[in-house]
Amino acid sequence: MRYDKVIKGGRVVSSTGTTRADVAITQERIAAIGLDLEGAEVIDATGKLVLPGAIDVHNHFQLPFCGTVSADDFFTGTRAAAMGGVTTICDFAIQSKPNPIMAAVEARRAEADGKVVVDYGLHAGITDWNKDRAAELPALFEAGVTTFKMFMIYRSEGWQSNDGALYSALRETAKLGGHIGVHAENDDLITLFQKEAEEQGLTGCYTHALTRPTVTETEAVSRAIQLCEAACGRLYVVHMSTGRSADILKEARARGVDVHAETCPQYLLLDDELFKREDGHHFGTCPPIRKPADQETLWARLADGTLEVLATDTCTFNSQQKAMWQGDYRKIPFGMPGVETMLPLAYSEGVRRGRFDLGRLIELVCEAPAKLFGMWPRKGTISVGSDADILVFDPDHQITISADKLATNCDYSPFDGMTVIGWPLTTLVRGKVVMRDRQFVGEAGWGRYIKRDPPVQH
Ligand SMILES: [Zn+2]
């Protein structure tokens, strides 16, 4: 038997272990895993790790936000994904009320389809929950949109959901097996602290941290969890940033609440002292980067299984866009690039430093996102019959991160100057090589929209 392609001589990794094996591909799928497989094309992986392509479930490409549009579009953003070993991304179709959610999904697909290099799914952002929105759910599930996002903040953008809407949406989506993702921050508290800062004449970058203390997240996380519990819903907390939130999550999971959460590399590796730098506004995100003690707890909760997903909340604004802040923290376009550096940072800082093992990394960036977002076992695993989304990863390649080495459409990286050991070498998306030996060889439009199932129950 001669297969189309064989990845030879590497160590194939899953959450349960590492095996020396070749991986054979026929067309777009994994056809065999074993020894001495033969292929028309051979990709040498001797001395390398062969991983399932990573999944980053939280990206905002070409998003109109904060008076500008995020700088990575669906091409440059998914090119960066491919270069970072990410073979599936999820973005968001945010409802423009009072129009239907489906209109946003269709518009987003029109923007993405011809441009994406890797596969993608869409969550729907719900901005006015009511009977009409509930009536749309079956059609959305049919279209592969099974996970939703609601915002507990952003009142002024018209995106905020009140508690009644959140409760009702949790109850109705769970009936179909879907979940509600929440951006959990307390708008009233932030508004109060911002007003107090204004009275004191504070506008600098560090004021962003001062006006969003821990309670502005933990109160919202705990409220969302209680609403979820009472509504028998399924909840997913996006970009969890504080250690206390992760502890609240741990308690909730221990009593059986169907709640899950992600954190992001910026909350694990960057602290709010960075806001005091000249370029501090580059690090402005919502929620803000936190304290070293938060980082420690988040790492521990990733390792112990409480936090199940690592994602990036990529929303790239370049230094020119960031300059729009002009000294006022309230005008910083909130977001940063990240999809390209997620996996190497998690490997180098997580696995190499012994914070968790390689199997846990695969759970965090491949298996759990595939299961929680309805793509398992098509995505997130090297198994016969799964999509041939594969990353050949060089565990010894050392790189000091700098923007000029990255494919993202941004002139800085929040992780500039950090040295990591371990970097993606070759990436395949459904059997097609999109990065070979660290050179981008992908093509716009190869990526495909993934109709997702409801999340796997667990
Ligand atoms: Zn986001």
Side-chain angles (χ1 to χ4, degrees):
M1 180 85 192
R2 198 171 150 91
Y3 299 97
D4 292 354
K5 291 189 181 81
V6 171
I7 300 170
K8 262 190 128 41
R11 288 188 293 135
V12 178
V13 185
S14 76
S15 62
T16 52
T18 299
T19 335
R20 155 81 187 83
D22 302 339
V23 179
I25 297 161
T26 296
Q27 295 182 332
E28 299 188 357
R29 303 243 168 138
I30 295 169
I33 302 163
L35 292 173
D36 303 318
L37 303 179
E38 285 182 40
E41 184 187 339
V42 171
I43 295 168
D44 180 19
T46 309
K48 309 291 187 286
L49 300 175
V50 179
L51 316 181
I55 299 169
D56 180 0
V57 296
H58 195 157
N59 291 274
H60 303 277
F61 298 137
Q62 57 190 81
L63 175 73
F65 189 52
C66 298
T68 179
V69 178
S70 62
D72 271 310
D73 66 13
F74 278 101
F75 175 68
T76 67
T78 57
R79 179 181 64 188
M83 297 295 278
V86 173
T87 53
T88 304
I89 63 107
C90 293
D91 203 291
F92 296 80
I94 300 175
Q95 181 207 2
S96 161
K97 64 183 181 190
N99 300 321
I101 300 169
M102 191 61 96
V105 171
E106 284 163 3
R108 208 65 176 142
R109 284 207 55 188
E111 290 174 332
D113 278 340
K115 285 187 172 178
V116 283
V117 174
V118 306
D119 286 352
Y120 79 105
L122 291 173
H123 318 283
I126 304 173
T127 56
D128 71 337
W129 178 258
N130 56 39
K131 281 207 162 65
D132 293 339
R133 299 291 80 75
E136 275 198 79
L137 291 177
L140 288 161
F141 276 71
E142 190 63 32
V145 179
T146 57
T147 53
F148 301 85
K149 183 172 176 185
M150 293 172 87
F151 301 89
M152 297 171 85
I153 63 158
Y154 297 137
R155 183 181 296 143
S156 52
E157 282 81 355
W159 289 359
Q160 190 186 24
S161 293
N162 66 31
D163 295 343
L166 187 52
Y167 178 94
S168 167
L170 279 160
R171 187 182 56 196
E172 299 309 313
T173 51
K175 288 177 186 166
L176 298 166
H179 77 221
I180 299 288
V182 280
H183 179 139
E185 285 187 290
N186 181 313
D187 205 90
D188 289 344
L189 282 180
I190 294 167
T191 302
L192 170 73
F193 297 139
Q194 289 188 337
K195 193 166 157 282
E196 290 179 350
E198 192 174 329
E199 283 160 9
Q200 293 168 55
L202 296 173
T203 57
C205 203
Y206 195 73
T207 320
H208 183 47
L210 291 176
T211 53
R212 290 174 126 88
T214 304
V215 65
T216 59
E217 180 183 78
T218 56
E219 186 283 327
V221 165
S222 134
R223 180 162 31 111
I225 286 173
Q226 291 185 57
L227 295 174
C228 170
E229 190 171 12
C232 297
R234 315 184 81 187
L235 179 70
Y236 180 84
V237 182
V238 300
H239 51 50
M240 187 171 275
S241 69
T242 65
R244 179 74 190 114
S245 294
D247 288 338
I248 291 168
L249 172 70
K250 188 173 180 173
E251 291 161 24
R253 288 169 58 77
R255 66 173 190 271
V257 185
D258 197 347
V259 54
H260 311 272
E262 70 187 22
T263 189
C264 316
Q266 57 270 30
Y267 302 118
L268 296 165
L269 296 169
L270 306 178
D271 77 65
D272 64 12
E273 288 296 305
L274 287 166
F275 289 140
K276 296 175 179 169
R277 276 180 16 182
E278 186 87 1
D279 61 352
H281 57 290
H282 287 180
F283 302 93
T285 62
C286 269
I289 52 177
R290 304 286 185 182
K291 309 277 183 203
D294 292 297
Q295 297 173 12
E296 259 175 62
T297 306
L298 292 173
W299 280 115
R301 295 291 159 266
L302 280 174
D304 73 13
T306 303
L307 287 163
E308 292 163 279
V309 174
L310 192 62
T312 63
D313 195 12
T314 293
C315 189
T316 306
F317 293 111
N318 61 35
S319 62
Q320 207 181 343
Q321 293 174 301
K322 287 280 191 181
M324 290 165 53
W325 87 299
Q326 294 185 310
D328 182 343
Y329 75 99
R330 289 163 298 189
K331 294 185 188 148
I332 300 172
F334 288 130
M336 304 191 290
V339 65
E340 192 170 1
T341 45
M342 172 178 78
L343 181 64
L345 286 169
Y347 179 80
S348 193
E349 292 293 320
V351 178
R352 282 232 171 222
R353 289 193 191 272
R355 285 160 160 148
F356 45 70
D357 64 16
L358 188 55
R360 182 68 189 143
L361 174 68
I362 300 303
E363 284 182 328
L364 290 168
V365 300
C366 304
E367 296 181 7
K371 290 173 183 169
L372 285 170
F373 292 88
M375 295 182 276
W376 179 266
R378 179 173 175 189
K379 304 287 190 191
T381 177
I382 297 184
S383 301
V384 172
S386 293
D387 282 355
D389 296 341
I390 300 172
L391 169 63
V392 180
F393 186 82
D394 183 345
D396 302 311
H397 189 78
Q398 181 171 323
I399 281 190
T400 298
I401 294 174
S402 69
D404 60 320
K405 291 178 191 151
L406 300 175
T408 171
N409 184 29
C410 194
D411 52 348
Y412 68 91
S413 161
F415 307 102
D416 272 335
M418 281 188 62
T419 297
V420 298
I421 302 175
W423 200 264
L425 181 66
T426 293
T427 306
L428 291 88
V429 175
R430 276 179 292 103
K432 180 184 167 70
V433 179
V434 295
M435 173 177 75
R436 187 190 302 277
D437 298 333
R438 286 189 284 281
Q439 297 299 312
F440 178 71
V441 294
E443 95 193 44
W446 172 255
R448 203 176 282 160
Y449 171 72
I450 302 298
K451 274 193 177 185
R452 294 178 299 110
D453 299 323
V456 173
Q457 301 273 351
H458 66 153

